[in-house]
Amino acid sequence: MSVKPERVILEQTAAAGTLRDTAVSHIGLRVPEVQATADFYGRVLGLVVQRELADGGLQMGWGTGHHVLDLLPGERSLAYYAFEVRDAGGMAGIRSRLEQAGAPVTEVDPALLDASIGDVESIETTDPDGNTVQFHSAVWRQGEGAGDPGRRPVKYQHITLGTVDVAPMTDWFTGVIGFRISDQLEDGRFAWMRSNKDHHTLAIVNVGARGNVDHYSFDLAEWEDFKSWCDKLTEQDVDVAWGPGRHGPGNNLFVFFDDPAGNHIELSAEMEKFYDDRVTYVARRWNPIPQSVNLWGGQLPNWRRVSGVQS
Amino acid sequence: MSVKPERVILEQTAAAGTLRDTAVSHIGLRVPEVQATADFYGRVLGLVVQRELADGGLQMGWGTGHHVLDLLPGERSLAYYAFEVRDAGGMAGIRSRLEQAGAPVTEVDPALLDASIGDVESIETTDPDGNTVQFHSAVWRQGEGAGDPGRRPVKYQHITLGTVDVAPMTDWFTGVIGFRISDQLEDGRFAWMRSNKDHHTLAIVNVGARGNVDHYSFDLAEWEDFKSWCDKLTEQDVDVAWGPGRHGPGNNLFVFFDDPAGNHIELSAEMEKFYDDRVTYVARRWNPIPQSVNLWGGQLPNWRRVSGVQS
Amino acid sequence: MSVKPERVILEQTAAAGTLRDTAVSHIGLRVPEVQATADFYGRVLGLVVQRELADGGLQMGWGTGHHVLDLLPGERSLAYYAFEVRDAGGMAGIRSRLEQAGAPVTEVDPALLDASIGDVESIETTDPDGNTVQFHSAVWRQGEGAGDPGRRPVKYQHITLGTVDVAPMTDWFTGVIGFRISDQLEDGRFAWMRSNKDHHTLAIVNVGARGNVDHYSFDLAEWEDFKSWCDKLTEQDVDVAWGPGRHGPGNNLFVFFDDPAGNHIELSAEMEKFYDDRVTYVARRWNPIPQSVNLWGGQLPNWRRVSGVQS
Amino acid sequence: MSVKPERVILEQTAAAGTLRDTAVSHIGLRVPEVQATADFYGRVLGLVVQRELADGGLQMGWGTGHHVLDLLPGERSLAYYAFEVRDAGGMAGIRSRLEQAGAPVTEVDPALLDASIGDVESIETTDPDGNTVQFHSAVWRQGEGAGDPGRRPVKYQHITLGTVDVAPMTDWFTGVIGFRISDQLEDGRFAWMRSNKDHHTLAIVNVGARGNVDHYSFDLAEWEDFKSWCDKLTEQDVDVAWGPGRHGPGNNLFVFFDDPAGNHIELSAEMEKFYDDRVTYVARRWNPIPQSVNLWGGQLPNWRRVSGVQS
Amino acid sequence: MSVKPERVILEQTAAAGTLRDTAVSHIGLRVPEVQATADFYGRVLGLVVQRELADGGLQMGWGTGHHVLDLLPGERSLAYYAFEVRDAGGMAGIRSRLEQAGAPVTEVDPALLDASIGDVESIETTDPDGNTVQFHSAVWRQGEGAGDPGRRPVKYQHITLGTVDVAPMTDWFTGVIGFRISDQLEDGRFAWMRSNKDHHTLAIVNVGARGNVDHYSFDLAEWEDFKSWCDKLTEQDVDVAWGPGRHGPGNNLFVFFDDPAGNHIELSAEMEKFYDDRVTYVARRWNPIPQSVNLWGGQLPNWRRVSGVQS
Amino acid sequence: MSVKPERVILEQTAAAGTLRDTAVSHIGLRVPEVQATADFYGRVLGLVVQRELADGGLQMGWGTGHHVLDLLPGERSLAYYAFEVRDAGGMAGIRSRLEQAGAPVTEVDPALLDASIGDVESIETTDPDGNTVQFHSAVWRQGEGAGDPGRRPVKYQHITLGTVDVAPMTDWFTGVIGFRISDQLEDGRFAWMRSNKDHHTLAIVNVGARGNVDHYSFDLAEWEDFKSWCDKLTEQDVDVAWGPGRHGPGNNLFVFFDDPAGNHIELSAEMEKFYDDRVTYVARRWNPIPQSVNLWGGQLPNWRRVSGVQS
């Protein structure tokens, strides 16, 4: 930390905050071994296969809930990620701002979507890093989280994308899509964005490479469940990779472990809420030190080798 | 409170206590906007549409559970309410006492009922206020309550009917149907009746008008869930209308909020139990003061303008 | 206790510990009144009928989970019990060791099995007591435990078999099948065996007769649930027969009640874990006194009249 | 139960309910080995010796709290029991009614009392069984309960006196002293009386002999503590004698164990509250069956051999 | 809300944030009946009298802890309030900035202070409203909070002062003393300031009059304790005046009740933390609506008649 | 792990298990800055100074409890450690076995001891590593743990000594003193010993040097407290150094942080119990891998550089 880190204030333009009822809905990951990875998600997370895709992929979700994870054959990479837009006029606004920005907009096959509330609308575009991102209208979500108690059920919560340059991504998500920045690292290498009352539904981190998720996260109900989960993971021969701890940005409790393809999975609880309809906020700027991403202490997971947060 | 309130002791005749394993099973509400109201119940309570009715109504329940709520198009009013009678010989007894009392008894279309245990039996009659009330034999109830943890699941618990005169209603429910009075306000304007081990499955309150529910209630597992629920309601832009607090009659914890049609919904826990097979009880009489309906303090919801309980 | 009890050390041969990911999956019980017993399991345990069997029997399980209980018409007795073998090469090893031991091995009709993960394999043989025991390959288990919160859900945990001689049974289960002994009573009349990280998935107790389960057990999430369950059982007019208490062997919390056919059902939590991949264990030997089976005190259930544990 | 039990309704006269803020404050027990018994209360209950009495007795309490237990040398028996009267005018009323009833009233040495709030007043009389009973004015009670967490602290709650005839005792406590009956067994052999909002602060049970406590009780904060306590008792080689269970009268959770002199100690939680300032109650009458004193099931402690409650 | 409220941004000058380890330590209240009020604080809050003051006042605190409340004879008003400054160089800095600002600075009699850590330093000055405010160096605080479990113990947390003009007060506390603004209402009529990691240790609200506390607050450990407290207050005939609810600014859970002199007492938990050593914050601005001070709903206590928060 | 580790079975001779009611009572540490270190223990652990020692040292404990920590001026090192022997005849047995072994035995000044139960007895000797170790008879322990809730109180639990050779230490503690080995690492470089029902009260680890504690430990009541503690430590600018996690040997939950002198402090809960009066145990042998000391995953604290447990 002897070299003074650069200070970068990530800007937000007019559209920022347009979306207030939008949440991550599913993610598509390419993994080398689809079946073994699906077995892991069934055994450890309680997900079930809801649909087999044409190319050998599998759509997984909880019981009667919407699907949250698509596993597709291929080298480990991010195939696409998707948001459910529940804001009134939200889909139309995104579509219009994307067209204004000259971004490619194509329709997604409605057959791949969960049961819709009202008319189905689902579009696909490309984020500044070239990742495929989808936006779709409201789906029936009841049943999500109806997993096994004991192995206390969870909600699909957020995605953190790895990139080589954070600002173009946050510019696009705030200026074109309508997210808002909640927190950033002072050096501009990590940013957390919100699109509903949760502190973040999407985060962007500079990991020195594009095209992968840094990690993604499920919600637990409470701290008590972290013990149950760590004990269950041990029973299933899955090592905890980081935590339990508490993040600075978002103030949420966390614990991390890996899937067989090497994707980092986070379990989280107690995330800070934002009430944009009642309050005027300014994004906070955190020191790029380990204690910012774990308030309780300075240990980092061994996989965070390239990051704005280093010890 | 300067005027001395009248003292009314609600009587109970011979049939009182005949039913000991009978519970509220569903309620039919007319609401102006069926779809928007159903969306609310899906989003906030976790109910799913289980059946579409001929007239545009919707039957809702939890996952694999029995249905608990029918939403029917029309001005806001009570369409019907129903009890599941699990007492041995219970259905026959009610039918016989109704006939003896000269009440109209018609059969309900079994197709509208949930999966039955043993032979289906379902009858419909009219209570002294002219409301339609149904009684049916045991149905499979597993799965009720298998809602989302975090948003901790609930049981359908009781109905409180608004009326202009409490005594005819309690006379009928104790004398003809076989319920028993657990508690009453001393002025006779509010009464709580039981038909199983719960302190009440049905309550009657003088609100100056007939033909509506005063409120109805779902059970939570414990106090911890009241915080989760209040926080979730806030996330969903639903205001708490009353509580959290603790009722005198029933000693149950409570919190209230409204559905889009203006129906008052209660969440409840820790309700007092009655063991009629082991104990001889006499109904208690409470002072008609706000502290009786909220032991913790005197605040009343702003919608309880006409009531036996006034500040 | 004036007579010095004999000391018996139950031996374990080479195959002991071969299985490390094997668990009890279902049990078949003959009961005089199948329908009434099924109603009890639906009402009290939240099980649903998943399949009707040819001979009037019923397969029951939780919601979308695998089946855990078969009720078959007949005098009260054990029809069969079954284990799911998830160990790599586990089924082949059991089959080969059974054949080497000259035991009868027949295939089970795959139609009676739950949805399989990978190829189905299911065999049936006879244990030294003449009981039918099945072993089958991995099945999809998601949904087990998705019961009603409040009536907090459970996992199917272990079976305890009654016998007249413990050693032949433990010899066979350790030497031929590949279980391992965790604890025994010093007099050799009770033994607890493991086949995964749980302290026991199978126990054998000398009750002076063959051909019945002594009891079987479901897991609760935590101590808090024991109060909820005891209160719920009381509401359903089911008496607690033993406990709540804490076992010595396994260190698990417990409470017992009976089904209508007289089978003893245990609810359990906090069972001790064994980590055979990291530790070398030697089976412990407990004094045959009531305080060994209930660390908290010396009361025994009134049905444990013939046992290695007497007061 | 083939012999029809007699039905006795315990009467209450005009003074009943005069006291509404009176609680048990301490008890004096004669025990053969004062020091060993005091060690037990220090080790297990966390009590400390607060004062040495002239005759070799010891006054014990928690840290800075008032004293709750006097151990006096002698054969095991009840030396005296005492109530703190916080009702306005309460002491004067009791004194006057005692004099009216011709009962002996003497002053207690104020030096034996804890720090008083306002003027000290402390009188001693004899109950119908000949037991010495004391009533004194308010004392500073802060610090009571400041015991060790983990070994979660407790409040001194109630006394149950053994007798040969219940009615004279309840007549005296309701008619002369001013208590009120909350519950009774239908055969009149057990009665629970209140003098504040707790369901009972004093109970009377026919055990076939006079002059001893049947048991006395401390409050725990919640169910969770019952597990901690049972585990702690086990660590300290103290057997649980009855429970955990839930009483019918009072609805409180309970567990029992014995002190070295053979006195029965109860730990209790969740006791029902009475709001006499808001409600008119009639005492309930319970069947004299084991399920009345343990709602969860029919096991009785082995020391309840002579009682109104028998199996 | 038809009239557009004025928007006021409360400024913070250079000294803001100088203090990072400073907390409210005690408050002096004039009350008409000192003894009765002290009895209330002993009975309800568990405070004990630690010292009698010359003028008939009483210093109260918990057991071995520092004193938190001085009750002084007189009309109900604020006599003084005090902060413990643990910052290195904190006392010297405050003294120097006060002198620079021309404020009167006098020494407080050290005999009135609790046991000091290191050299005692204690000064008194006057805030812009003319209230007496004290700052003193670190005192031994162990034992604070060692109250009675069940009646779960608390920490003395913050003071909210009533005023007629918020800005001069926040100017002085940020510019001269060294506090920092965490949140404000958009109309500038309510502001929350921090001096350690808690969201606020001091708040200022425009209530149309000077010289009184608006309310002051104690910390509870967790939500579970709110039920215990509300039930205990009910047992002690103390009405809850507002809540339970959750504040917007500070995000803390709350419940309010009054002392006999009419002072409003808050119990609080889960207050938001600020990490000024790691993060750059900008004070948030909340809409002046009831939902800002109770996120769960719009009910206000009946005593908040004049306020920036109105319905 | 490519080099095969040596396998060492630590032996236990006849005296092993003699002690069954003996526990660590206090520890004396030399630290460079006594006052600053005492401030830390007051602020973070809630300890208070109970006595000032002649040489500038301080005895610390909780409120009315016995002392648990002596801070003595000097370079960081272990001055002495002490056990309270509650076994009947325990002190005499240790003294006699020490004399038989030719160990030096001197009396400790009784003035330095806490209030004794019965006659005081306190001796001092030297362990094989040359550390001073004391054994004393029973002291009054009530009040230990009466710390601040919120900052939930603790019990002083165990000491782990660093050494260069484990076997001589375990030989002496089992063969001469009367402890018993519960668990060991397979390579013999770490051993856990018990002297009451806790899995260990003393552990010995090869850290390549003599004369220091490796760490020492306090008990928390439950997992919930680990979150409170980690949050409190963060508030007090103390970093968590390791955990939260769960140990293999002892199965206890843990978290570690350092005092200002660099001593490692552990907080622990859920430690395994041993019932030597009912069970025959054989010490278990764990693989010397990180997952043995943290079942949840392989992270080690950065200060465990020389150890039998390496990654």
Side-chain angles (χ1 to χ4, degrees), chain F:
Chain F
M1 296 295 298
S2 52
V3 182
K4 181 93 177 175
E6 60 174 334
R7 299 196 177 231
V8 178
I9 296 188
L10 300 167
E11 299 297 335
Q12 302 181 70
T13 56
T18 307
L19 301 178
R20 291 191 182 179
D21 197 10
T22 288
V24 62
S25 67
H26 62 264
I27 188 172
L29 296 175
R30 297 202 180 278
V31 296
E33 302 192 60
V34 167
Q35 186 58 52
T37 306
D39 287 354
F40 172 89
Y41 280 100
R43 186 167 58 92
V44 175
L45 271 295
L47 296 175
V48 299
V49 174
Q50 294 183 335
R51 195 182 327 203
E52 304 195 11
L53 301 175
D55 59 352
L58 297 171
Q59 279 197 339
M60 304 189 79
W62 286 283
T64 60
H66 76 127
H67 77 282
V68 300
L69 182 67
D70 291 357
L71 297 174
L72 308 167
E75 284 309 289
R76 182 190 158 211
S77 64
L78 172 64
Y80 45 80
Y81 59 109
F83 296 90
E84 179 195 20
V85 182
R86 287 182 168 245
D87 294 85
M91 283 301 297
I94 292 172
R95 188 190 290 265
S96 131
R97 287 193 298 276
L98 282 172
E99 284 165 357
Q100 212 166 341
V105 175
T106 62
E107 307 297 313
V108 177
D109 177 3
L112 294 178
L113 207 62
D114 301 297
S116 207
I117 301 178
D119 294 337
V120 192
E121 201 174 354
S122 179
I123 59 175
E124 190 171 282
T125 188
T126 304
D127 73 22
D129 269 6
N131 303 310
T132 300
V133 53
Q134 303 170 350
F135 300 92
H136 60 77
S137 52
V139 294
W140 277 96
R141 272 182 172 243
Q142 71 284 357
E144 177 178 8
D148 291 0
R151 198 169 70 172
R152 296 274 286 278
V154 292
K155 180 183 81 165
Y156 195 40
Q157 215 278 334
H158 72 265
I159 298 173
T160 299
L161 298 174
T163 189
V164 295
D165 196 357
V166 168
M169 291 292 277
T170 56
D171 284 353
W172 191 75
F173 267 102
T174 59
V176 178
I177 303 304
F179 282 49
R180 204 174 272 221
I181 297 175
S182 297
D183 278 354
Q184 65 160 88
L185 289 191
E186 207 172 48
D187 60 8
R189 296 170 67 90
F190 212 143
W192 293 262
M193 287 179 288
R194 71 186 178 275
S195 55
N196 57 22
K197 290 201 179 66
D198 281 339
H199 171 274
H200 60 280
T201 52
L202 176 66
I204 310 290
V205 59
N206 187 329
V207 294
R210 287 192 178 85
N212 254 316
V213 287
D214 180 73
H215 68 268
Y216 62 102
S217 177
F218 301 94
D219 261 9
L220 299 187
E222 52 180 357
W223 170 248
E224 183 66 24
D225 297 347
F226 282 77
K227 184 181 83 168
S228 304
W229 265 90
C230 290
D231 282 341
K232 291 265 172 193
L233 290 172
T234 300
E235 251 189 277
Q236 293 164 326
D237 297 317
V238 178
D239 263 18
V240 164
W242 189 27
R246 187 189 280 283
H247 288 317
N251 200 41
N252 48 323
L253 299 164
F254 68 84
V255 72
F256 282 78
F257 58 96
D258 288 358
D259 78 8
N263 293 296
H264 310 311
I265 303 172
E266 180 185 13
L267 303 175
S268 163
E270 298 193 6
M271 185 174 277
E272 192 182 355
K273 301 291 173 190
F274 279 68
Y275 302 94
D276 287 285
D277 52 335
R278 304 180 190 175
V279 204
T280 306
Y281 297 95
V282 174
R284 297 169 296 205
R285 298 189 305 277
W286 292 78
N287 293 351
I289 53 171
Q291 278 83 348
S292 289
V293 291
N294 189 356
L295 289 171
W296 291 351
Q299 285 185 306
L300 285 180
N302 58 15
W303 45 261
R304 191 169 291 290
R305 304 220 180 275
V306 181
S307 153
V309 179
Q310 304 185 31
S311 34

Side-chain angles (χ1 to χ4, degrees), chain C residues 227 239-240 270 291 296, chain D residues 227 239-240 246 270 291 296:
Chain C
K227 184 181 82 167
D239 263 18
V240 164
E270 297 194 4
Q291 279 84 348
W296 291 350
Chain D
K227 184 181 81 167
D239 263 17
V240 164
R246 186 189 282 283
E270 296 193 6
Q291 279 83 348
W296 292 350

Side-chain angles (χ1 to χ4, degrees), chain C residues 223-228 230-231 234 238-246 253 270 291 295-302, chain D residues 223-228 230-231 234 238-246 253 270 291 295-302:
Chain C
W223 170 248
E224 183 67 24
D225 297 347
F226 282 75
K227 184 181 82 167
S228 305
C230 290
D231 283 341
T234 300
V238 178
D239 263 18
V240 164
W242 190 28
R246 186 190 282 283
L253 300 164
E270 297 194 4
Q291 279 84 348
L295 289 172
W296 291 350
Q299 284 184 307
L300 284 181
N302 59 14
Chain D
W223 170 248
E224 183 67 24
D225 297 347
F226 283 75
K227 184 181 81 167
S228 304
C230 290
D231 283 340
T234 300
V238 178
D239 263 17
V240 164
W242 190 27
R246 186 189 282 283
L253 300 164
E270 296 193 6
Q291 279 83 348
L295 290 172
W296 292 350
Q299 284 185 305
L300 285 180
N302 58 14

